Amino acid sequence: MVQKGKYGLTIVLSFVLLLVTALAGCSTKEKEPAAAQSPSVSPSSTASTNNGGTDNGKGGLPAKYEPAIKLNTVMANYSYTKFGQGDTTDDNRWTRFIKDKYGIEVHSLWDVPFGQYEQKVNLMIASGEMPDFFGVTPLQFKQLSDAGKLEDLTDIYNKYASDSIKEVIAGAGAEVLDSAKVKGRLMAVPWTGVAKEGVPILWIRKDWYEKFDLQPPKSMGDVLKIAELFATKDPDGNNKNDTFGFALNKNLAENSLVGFLNGYHAYRDIWVKDASGNLVYSDIQPEMKTALTQLQALYKNGWIDKEFGVKDPQKVEENIGSGKIGMIFGDMGTAASPLQQLTPNNEWLPFPVPSVDTQEAKLQIPLNIFNYYWVVKKGTAHPEAIFPLMQTWLDLFYNNTSEELYKQYNYDSEADIASWMNAPIKIYKTKRATNHLAEMKVMNGESKDTSSLTPEQRDNYSSMQKYLAGDKKFWNVYMQDGPNGTGKIAVDYLEKDLYMPTQFTGTPTPAMVLKKANLDKLRDQMYLKIIQGASPDEFDQFVEQWKKLGGDEITKEVNEWLKNK
């Protein structure tokens, strides 16, 4: 969903931030960058572009090309206004900036909505005509690499990618860059994503939390006790037994379930390494049985809605909006959407997902790419020229502190023009933690004014000041960026590396293509049956079925991929 706002497009991920479906790799269906705030202006701890695009971490970026060089590409868009008056795909604010600064003329062969992009690229590949650089899905990447159509970027990346580019790609996770390698050679640059901002966060209604004089939950045992209180002690004071501990719906891929599972060291639909270093499927591990058995106890006790199995997310949101639910496993942007919309007069408090034991909970993430890899056609004269384009993106989109440049190159709210979509190359990065740290420096007096903040950070800071002055409609910003908001949790998650990324980053294996969809249905049926009262031993029966019906075959293929990648 795309919402218009003062500081750009607010890109909301209805996640499952699984930019991955079938192989816990990555989906080829486009989703927008995951951040509850606009991606058009994210923070940088090291750079400021008041002068129009400088960066402290230039590394080995090539100097300006003189005479100018030309690069062809293809583009995808969100069907949203992105051109100013007189601008075109080949002649706009971004292409002019790039030509003036780096001597690179970027020409786009075509520009289509994201929904049409994959098919258009397939047709282009089949025709044998490819541009100098473009974005491809994982499957297209494999096909082009196998066919010898791609430039080897290993040495070029090491020599010409700036420190700041490398920092963004490393920050996505070591497995992300590794996924772009073939036989140890870097054959693409990942279009990095923001999966680390889509991980679960536990949200608790503030008024109910205060009514029972609660403390921050330190374990999943504490979560269960709070669920019991909210379901049995009439938190809304209407003398009716009509409230529930936390939200759950029939969409079992959402954080409402995944957050609970992760608290028990159980993971949904990813591949993890066992003690011997082999890859195993997360859903058949014993921790899953433990977590489902505990959910069954909650169900039997009535601490979660016994009709959750037939309720879609929208129906559960109605329950939240009517004040019947006290906890929800959401993500870092849940305060803004949907909680602010559903309960504008009721604040919610964020907490990290606690663990069932002394080992901290790790939050699962898919392969952290935005569905695509940036590739360069073999034989392109200047393959290194993609890195000035990436640097321009980081400088103007993430690092800029100028309101004027923000309006010019990212989003003009008065004209309703999203110029950032004209950037020929994009890579995304996690920003919640950086926003929080930058804004807290100003709030705590470490920085004298807001001039060091990006426009988005300044807007957040202003909203938090309004909240502290009594305007409660800004509680969502305060609970996200404030002293104890999701930004602080993001810092903790990052510093402790509390992520469990999928370890399979290849394209679907033959058995996956043929059998995984049916195995997924079998798994989801097992989830529901056990939660709703079936013997937990049905989990063991499911494991045996899963193995016999193709799971063992898939596991063998996955581990063959691991050995040969």
Side-chain angles (χ1 to χ4, degrees):
M1 179 176 66
V2 181
Q3 296 176 331
K4 302 172 186 178
K6 177 183 177 184
Y7 282 95
L9 302 177
T10 298
I11 307 292
V12 179
L13 202 64
S14 60
F15 194 76
V16 192
L17 225 194
L18 294 173
L19 299 175
V20 190
T21 51
L23 43 148
C26 45
S27 165
T28 56
K29 290 186 178 179
E30 192 61 30
K31 291 181 182 153
E32 296 163 2
Q37 305 290 328
S38 164
S40 306
V41 96
S42 287
S44 167
S45 58
T46 60
S48 171
T49 60
N50 286 321
N51 63 350
T54 62
D55 180 87
N56 292 345
K58 285 298 190 214
L61 278 181
K64 182 177 180 178
Y65 295 94
E66 294 180 340
I69 64 171
K70 296 182 179 181
L71 289 179
N72 290 335
T73 190
V74 293
M75 300 279 285
N77 62 71
Y78 292 113
S79 301
Y80 193 85
T81 304
K82 65 177 184 176
F83 294 127
Q85 186 174 4
D87 284 353
T88 66
T89 302
D90 290 341
D91 183 11
N92 56 69
R93 297 169 187 180
W94 281 79
T95 59
R96 291 191 292 270
F97 180 96
I98 291 167
K99 182 179 180 181
D100 290 345
K101 186 170 182 61
Y102 290 110
I104 302 172
E105 296 182 14
V106 180
H107 171 67
S108 183
L109 303 181
W110 44 258
D111 183 5
V112 298
F114 268 117
Q116 303 172 21
Y117 182 79
E118 180 181 353
Q119 181 181 10
K120 187 83 169 177
V121 170
N122 281 334
L123 293 172
M124 182 179 68
I125 293 172
S127 73
E129 297 294 329
M130 298 194 303
D132 297 311
F133 73 92
F134 58 115
V136 295
T137 67
L139 183 58
Q140 291 165 342
F141 170 45
K142 184 178 188 305
Q143 291 169 338
L144 290 170
S145 177
D146 289 348
K149 300 292 187 182
L150 301 181
E151 191 73 28
D152 185 334
L153 301 177
T154 310
D155 297 333
I156 295 168
Y157 179 81
N158 291 333
K159 182 177 181 180
Y160 291 106
S162 70
D163 293 341
S164 52
I165 290 172
K166 292 175 180 176
E167 181 181 0
V168 170
I169 293 174
E175 67 281 354
V176 174
L177 190 63
D178 189 58
S179 74
K181 295 178 180 179
V182 178
K183 301 296 183 181
R185 304 298 293 179
L186 186 69
M187 304 304 294
V189 177
W191 184 341
T192 49
V194 283
K196 289 183 177 180
E197 291 194 355
V199 296
I201 295 283
L202 177 63
W203 292 89
I204 304 179
R205 266 189 62 155
K206 183 180 178 182
D207 54 341
W208 292 10
Y209 182 90
E210 293 175 342
K211 179 175 183 176
F212 294 107
D213 194 25
L214 299 176
Q215 297 297 313
K218 300 298 184 183
S219 69
M220 288 303 293
D222 292 339
V223 173
L224 302 183
K225 291 176 183 178
I226 295 172
E228 179 181 10
L229 282 174
F230 289 173
T232 63
K233 299 300 181 182
D234 194 26
D236 58 358
N238 68 352
N239 296 315
K240 295 179 181 180
N241 185 24
D242 60 354
T243 55
F244 302 103
F246 69 88
L248 196 63
N249 63 62
K250 69 178 184 179
N251 188 343
L252 299 174
E254 291 195 342
N255 277 347
S256 59
L257 175 66
V258 169
F260 189 93
L261 297 178
N262 291 175
Y264 283 83
H265 313 304
Y267 309 100
R268 185 187 189 279
D269 199 19
I270 65 172
W271 290 84
V272 297
K273 287 188 176 180
D274 64 12
S276 62
N278 292 320
L279 294 184
V280 294
Y281 189 53
S282 62
D283 284 87
I284 64 171
Q285 304 311 306
E287 292 84 1
M288 182 64 72
K289 182 178 181 179
T290 301
L292 293 174
T293 301
Q294 189 57 68
L295 279 168
Q296 182 184 96
L298 290 170
Y299 180 86
K300 287 181 177 178
N301 291 330
W303 301 349
I304 56 178
D305 188 352
K306 289 192 174 183
E307 297 181 355
F308 84 89
V310 296
K311 289 187 175 180
D312 59 23
Q314 290 71 31
K315 194 65 178 179
V316 175
E317 286 185 358
E318 290 179 16
N319 290 343
I320 295 172
S322 60
K324 302 304 179 186
I325 292 174
M327 285 189 289
I328 177 174
F329 283 99
D331 60 31
M332 295 183 183
T334 294
S337 177
L339 294 180
Q340 176 73 45
Q341 291 95 329
L342 297 175
T343 62
N345 299 318
N346 293 318
E347 300 177 28
W348 293 67
L349 303 172
F351 299 95
V353 174
S355 169
V356 68
D357 52 31
T358 57
Q359 178 185 349
E360 290 197 83
K362 288 204 168 187
L363 298 315
Q364 69 176 76
I365 57 173
L367 179 62
N368 192 11
I369 67 170
F370 184 66
N371 291 357
Y372 300 94
Y373 294 91
W374 294 106
V375 297
V376 178
K377 180 180 66 175
K378 189 170 184 177
T380 295
H382 291 282
E384 77 285 348
I386 64 172
F387 297 113
L389 305 185
M390 289 184 188
Q391 189 64 52
T392 301
W393 166 258
L394 294 180
D395 288 343
L396 296 180
F397 188 83
Y398 279 112
N399 304 337
N400 166 56
T401 61
S402 164
E403 297 281 351
E404 180 182 353
L405 288 182
Y406 175 84
K407 180 178 180 180
Q408 184 177 0
Y409 292 104
N410 291 308
Y411 184 71
D412 184 342
S413 58
E414 295 177 1
D416 201 17
I417 298 173
S419 299
W420 65 272
M421 286 191 293
N422 292 302
I425 288 187
K426 308 172 184 70
I427 53 176
Y428 297 134
K429 67 176 184 175
T430 299
K431 64 176 181 173
R432 183 73 62 191
T434 324
N435 273 6
H436 167 77
L437 292 173
E439 292 158 22
M440 286 304 99
K441 282 185 178 181
V442 179
M443 186 169 284
N444 296 334
E446 296 177 48
S447 295
K448 294 183 179 180
D449 56 45
T450 63
S451 62
S452 62
L453 301 179
T454 67
E456 180 187 31
Q457 291 167 358
R458 278 195 290 274
D459 193 45
N460 291 341
Y461 179 80
S462 175
S463 296
M464 287 193 288
Q465 292 302 311
K466 293 174 183 177
Y467 171 83
L468 292 172
D471 193 340
K472 298 304 181 183
K473 71 172 175 287
F474 292 100
W475 70 262
N476 65 309
V477 182
Y478 192 78
M479 296 308 174
Q480 290 180 159
D481 285 40
N484 295 301
T486 58
K488 182 179 180 181
I489 296 172
V491 171
D492 190 55
Y493 282 178
L494 287 168
E495 288 181 347
K496 296 178 180 178
D497 192 25
L498 297 180
Y499 304 99
M500 180 61 72
T502 183
Q503 296 301 301
F504 177 66
T505 58
T507 53
T509 68
M512 281 183 183
V513 173
L514 293 174
K515 301 177 181 181
K516 190 175 186 298
N518 287 333
L519 292 176
D520 287 349
K521 291 179 182 178
L522 189 68
R523 175 202 59 208
D524 291 347
Q525 290 169 1
M526 178 272 298
Y527 277 177
L528 287 173
K529 287 176 66 176
I530 292 179
I531 295 172
Q532 294 175 336
S535 169
D537 290 339
E538 292 212 13
F539 176 82
D540 303 309
Q541 298 173 23
F542 155 74
V543 172
E544 291 304 313
Q545 282 185 292
W546 186 88
K547 291 180 176 181
K548 291 178 182 178
L549 296 177
D552 278 347
E553 185 180 356
I554 292 174
T555 301
K556 181 180 178 181
E557 292 176 344
V558 166
N559 281 285
E560 288 175 351
W561 165 86
L562 179 66
K563 292 176 184 177
N564 296 318
K565 73 186 181 83

